[in-house]
Amino acid sequence: MTDRSHAGKPIRTAITDEDGIDFAIIELFFFAYRDFTSDPDQILADYGFGRAHHRVLHFVNRRPGLTVAELLDVLKITKQSLARVLKQLIDTDHVVQLQGPRDRRQRELYPTAKGRALALALARPQSRRIRAALEDSGATERTLVERFLEAMVNPELRAQIDIGSAKMSGKSHGEH
């Protein structure tokens, strides 16, 4: 039970932009993220999966051969958190883990056909939402949106975006 004798009085006025904080953009991020994740969340629930599973599936499918260490670096989660999620994805045949060809201690991650299908099912509604939003704002705005989102990423971590771009352009894992 909480001791209410020292509890403060309720404040009945909202904090506003006058406090020097851009609450309009912050709230847009909250609402956009809520809706951006809502469709995949419904699909994931059917599998007993959550957003961590989605992130792992996304990056394993975008960068087949990604090592566990590289995935930990991208996701910024603990080994323990990843181990639980990865075990579920492996046990349900969405991801396979193979020994690295050069270093047997390394574990490389690859999607299975089942994992690829789920990753695409999760990405499709998000892609439709992005496409609709870009159409509403004009195609010329895409570069501005991309620059803005990249600028939101910590500068020392932006290289991870470039890794994804190189991978997406067709370079195989490990090529420079």
Side-chain angles (χ1 to χ4, degrees):
M1 187 158 169
T2 305
D3 179 9
R4 298 265 181 213
S5 64
H6 293 23
K9 293 182 179 181
I11 299 173
R12 301 194 187 277
T13 58
I15 52 177
T16 66
D17 292 342
E18 292 171 8
D19 295 300
I21 298 171
D22 192 340
F23 287 110
I25 295 292
I26 291 171
E27 285 185 16
L28 284 171
F29 264 101
F30 281 135
F31 290 124
Y33 182 72
R34 176 199 65 197
D35 293 350
F36 181 72
T37 57
S38 66
D39 296 318
D41 283 350
Q42 290 174 353
I43 296 167
L44 290 162
D46 292 340
Y47 292 84
F49 292 165
R51 290 184 185 161
H53 297 84
H54 185 182
R55 289 188 291 271
V56 170
L57 278 171
H58 173 83
F59 286 106
V60 168
N61 273 278
R62 293 294 288 158
R63 304 173 192 176
L66 185 72
T67 66
V68 169
E70 291 167 332
L71 185 58
L72 283 167
D73 189 46
V74 168
L75 297 178
K76 299 295 181 204
I77 60 174
T78 65
K79 256 186 193 179
Q80 185 178 2
S81 296
L82 178 60
R84 181 187 58 79
V85 169
L86 201 50
K87 181 179 180 348
Q88 290 175 315
L89 291 170
I90 291 168
D91 289 349
T92 56
D93 193 37
H94 289 90
V95 172
V96 293
Q97 181 175 266
L98 304 175
Q99 275 185 345
R102 291 177 290 280
D103 183 346
R104 294 176 155 275
R105 292 169 299 172
Q106 272 192 334
R107 294 173 292 155
E108 294 181 347
L109 303 171
Y110 295 89
T112 62
K114 188 176 176 181
R116 173 71 44 95
L118 180 54
L120 287 169
L122 297 170
R124 280 187 187 101
Q126 291 182 316
S127 181
R128 282 192 297 270
R129 188 176 294 277
I130 290 168
R131 188 173 30 256
L134 287 172
E135 285 173 3
D136 286 349
S137 63
T140 59
E141 305 291 329
R142 181 184 180 99
T143 302
L144 179 62
V145 171
E146 287 175 350
R147 274 191 300 207
F148 172 77
L149 291 172
E150 184 176 351
M152 292 284 295
V153 175
N154 288 339
E156 67 275 11
L157 300 176
R158 289 185 191 149
Q160 292 175 334
I161 297 168
D162 296 336
I163 290 168
S165 297
K167 184 66 182 164
M168 290 179 265
S169 68
K171 288 186 179 180
S172 64
H173 190 72
E175 284 184 9
H176 294 51

